[in-house]
Amino acid sequence: MNIVIIGNGITGITCARNVRKLDSNASITVISGETEHFFSRTALMYIYMGHMKFEHTKPYEDWFWKKNRINLIKAYVKSLNSKDKTLHFDNGESIAYDKLIIACGSVPNKFGWPGENLHGVQGLYSIQDLEQMERNTKNISSAVIIGGGLIGIEMAEMLHSRKIEVKMLVRENFYWGNILPREEAQLIGKHISAHGIDLQLNTELKEIISDDQNRVKGVLTNKGEQFECQFVGLTAGVKPNIGFLEKHELETERGILINEYFETSIPHIYAAGDCAQFRNPKPGEPAIEQLWYTGKMQAETLARTICGDKSAYNRGIWFNSAKFFDLEYQTYGQILPEINDQQKSFYWEHPNGKHAFRANYSSKDESISGFNFIGIRFRQIIAEEWIREHKTIGFVIQNLKKGWFDPEFSKAFYNDISHSYLQSLKSGNEE
């Protein structure tokens, strides 16, 4: 069996490794024009900040691929001929496949802003983007970042580490206000501001202004304000990287359409990771999952199907984590910006504004549906178990210590949270 994988990110490489574990005879080829070897994409920021070198971001030694008989081709795919089962590269070469896995990831969003293609304007996703950012930010003094997501705050921290003045244009009322409840969004926004980032809330980009050398010199907002800068970071989300399929018969919408087995509209072609879109996502789950851990889970499931054990994907309980400078964040289950009519919510925040806890639960039977932890480390296995087993809010508050794993000698806040919850019951201050 000749298996070809487009993309050497977490999804493509996890699939390749798991296929090799299940089938010692399969021919496996991974294609990427970005880099020859797999690396940790989330570590790009630390290269820029001088904490790591590129070779430190590679989880496997370079000899690993030859030892495991995983062939690597450094090239960009130009076109797909599904009738002949061949891929054609930008260098004129081609390769045949028996089964094709498309795991080509994402690219930064652009929305047709005037000036978005000027020199000094870019997103941050690939190693090439990082190299471009090195060039674009050399000897500059100020930058503007468009968008308030996780890539945006990473870019802000990168620029801040080089003493570059940073403004962030955020269209919502609060930083990440489309994801977080108001209290958490305000807490994180204050923390970001305390680190010297100028958050411009309720502000959208109208135009990127050019100098006489076709380079950015500032931005104009929807409020009519103009900010001078020598760099603009476009971090208003990402979209599936499927431009090479634009005129292909493979069915796509925002991403490549797949079923629960990662099968596309064409036999023997599969898609997974950031570039894939579920035709019929489960209630409350996104059609496109663009997280590191979901890409890994999808790849592990797909590898079983490729090797003859047809397996439907089941993501399980939603999880995500992030870091806002030195402030850690974890979320489990369903925590939306606002609760619905069937939910209640308990929120606790430390007076220092660096630690917070939220639990959402059913107003009918008090069973837990989700958690937010900020500045608190909590065991994933415990949080997911409590959600899965429908533990009540009362049980959770009484047993918080079970999941605590903050560093030794750090203050544990479970007693403070418990006291606050009991007080809220007495005063009826639950949301």
Side-chain angles (χ1 to χ4, degrees):
M1 180 167 57
N2 179 23
I3 299 167
V4 175
I5 301 170
I6 303 175
N8 72 345
I10 185 62
T11 303
I13 292 302
T14 300
C15 196
R17 291 182 58 245
N18 279 268
V19 168
R20 175 55 71 227
K21 290 177 184 179
L22 296 169
D23 187 337
S24 60
N25 296 317
S27 169
I28 304 172
T29 301
V30 179
I31 302 160
S32 171
E34 182 182 7
T35 55
E36 183 177 1
H37 296 107
F38 168 57
F39 69 97
S40 173
R41 195 171 300 282
T42 55
L44 283 178
M45 65 182 292
Y46 300 110
I47 300 174
Y48 183 92
M49 295 168 70
H51 300 167
M52 306 174 77
K53 295 181 179 179
F54 176 70
E55 54 265 32
H56 301 150
T57 71
K58 295 189 288 186
Y60 308 105
E61 298 286 353
D62 292 350
W63 49 257
F64 174 88
W65 312 103
K66 184 176 180 180
K67 178 183 177 182
N68 287 276
R69 291 174 293 116
I70 297 174
N71 308 311
L72 305 176
I73 295 178
K74 191 172 187 296
Y76 287 103
V77 175
K78 184 178 180 180
S79 63
L80 161 64
N81 187 328
S82 52
K83 293 180 181 177
D84 294 340
K85 289 190 176 182
T86 56
L87 292 174
H88 299 272
F89 306 145
D90 58 349
N91 60 11
E93 296 181 0
S94 61
I95 188 173
Y97 66 84
D98 295 324
K99 293 186 178 182
L100 173 65
I101 298 166
I102 305 176
C104 50
S106 297
V107 291
N109 277 326
K110 288 186 176 182
F111 295 101
W113 291 299
E116 67 180 19
N117 295 316
L118 292 172
H119 296 301
V121 180
Q122 65 165 98
L124 180 62
Y125 183 83
S126 67
I127 190 70
Q128 286 79 15
D129 292 335
L130 181 69
E131 293 166 349
Q132 183 183 23
M133 189 172 170
E134 282 282 0
R135 297 189 296 269
N136 281 336
T137 59
K138 188 175 182 180
N139 299 322
I140 71 167
S141 60
S142 60
V144 173
I145 295 173
I146 313 302
L150 298 182
I151 296 176
I153 196 60
E154 287 181 357
M155 186 179 276
E157 185 174 354
M158 292 162 69
L159 294 164
H160 184 263
S161 74
R162 297 193 180 185
K163 303 188 185 308
I164 297 168
E165 181 184 293
V166 180
K167 282 183 170 62
M168 293 185 73
L169 307 190
V170 179
R171 66 180 181 178
E172 290 85 15
N173 295 330
F174 308 106
Y175 172 83
W176 224 25
N178 61 326
I179 300 294
L180 294 172
R182 174 172 49 86
E183 291 87 351
E184 288 95 312
Q186 288 179 318
L187 184 155
I188 290 173
K190 289 177 183 176
H191 189 78
I192 292 170
S193 297
H195 279 76
I197 307 303
D198 183 1
L199 283 178
Q200 296 285 322
L201 303 175
N202 295 305
T203 304
E204 297 183 43
L205 174 67
K206 184 176 181 181
E207 180 183 351
I208 303 172
I209 304 167
S210 174
D211 65 11
D212 55 9
Q213 296 181 341
N214 205 38
R215 183 174 179 87
V216 60
K217 72 171 185 179
V219 301
L220 179 67
T221 75
N222 62 330
K223 297 178 178 179
E225 297 174 303
Q226 186 169 319
F227 301 123
E228 293 184 4
C229 63
Q230 303 87 44
F231 177 82
V232 173
L234 302 180
T235 65
V238 294
K239 63 181 180 181
N241 177 26
I242 58 172
F244 72 100
L245 296 170
E246 186 176 356
K247 296 181 180 179
H248 197 273
E249 65 267 27
L250 195 66
E251 289 185 17
T252 63
E253 285 182 358
R254 286 186 296 147
I256 301 168
L257 291 171
I258 57 169
N259 62 15
E260 67 272 31
Y261 302 104
F262 304 99
E263 296 168 325
T264 69
S265 58
I266 297 178
H268 310 297
I269 299 180
Y270 305 81
D274 286 16
C275 67
Q277 176 182 345
F278 289 102
R279 289 180 183 273
N280 300 298
K282 295 177 182 178
E285 296 187 4
I288 300 176
E289 298 180 343
Q290 294 172 322
L291 296 176
W292 183 91
Y293 91 95
T294 55
K296 185 172 183 288
M297 286 179 64
Q298 289 185 20
E300 292 167 345
T301 306
L302 175 54
R304 294 195 294 272
T305 292
I306 291 290
C307 294
D309 177 18
K310 193 168 184 177
S311 304
Y313 175 63
N314 180 17
R315 186 197 65 205
I317 293 168
W318 182 258
F319 161 71
N320 198 7
S321 63
K323 189 169 71 71
F324 307 95
F325 285 87
D326 57 342
L327 193 63
E328 296 180 7
Y329 157 78
Q330 296 170 268
T331 187
Y332 304 95
Q334 187 182 56
I335 298 281
L336 299 175
E338 294 185 10
I339 59 174
N340 58 42
D341 295 338
Q342 287 77 46
Q343 287 183 319
K344 288 187 177 181
S345 187
F346 167 71
Y347 179 76
W348 169 88
E349 182 177 314
H350 193 278
N352 68 11
K354 295 181 182 294
H355 310 278
F357 166 79
R358 181 181 296 276
N360 281 5
Y361 57 98
S362 167
S363 55
K364 183 178 179 180
D365 61 9
E366 297 197 339
S367 60
I368 285 290
S369 57
F371 296 104
N372 274 349
F373 297 92
I374 296 179
I376 296 169
R377 294 180 181 176
F378 201 81
R379 297 186 189 280
Q380 180 174 357
I381 190 170
I382 297 295
E384 291 184 351
E385 175 186 300
W386 287 349
I387 295 171
R388 189 181 305 110
E389 295 181 358
H390 308 290
K391 297 296 186 184
T392 66
I393 179 66
F395 175 91
V396 165
I397 296 297
Q398 290 177 4
N399 291 276
L400 274 177
K401 185 177 180 180
K402 233 178 131 179
W404 220 264
F405 77 106
D406 268 345
E408 191 177 7
F409 305 123
S410 65
K411 179 173 172 55
F413 298 108
Y414 41 80
N415 288 331
D416 297 334
I417 294 171
S418 177
H419 178 73
S420 177
Y421 175 72
L422 292 175
Q423 288 297 112
S424 74
L425 291 181
K426 291 178 182 178
S427 60
N429 285 337
E430 295 170 286
E431 295 181 15

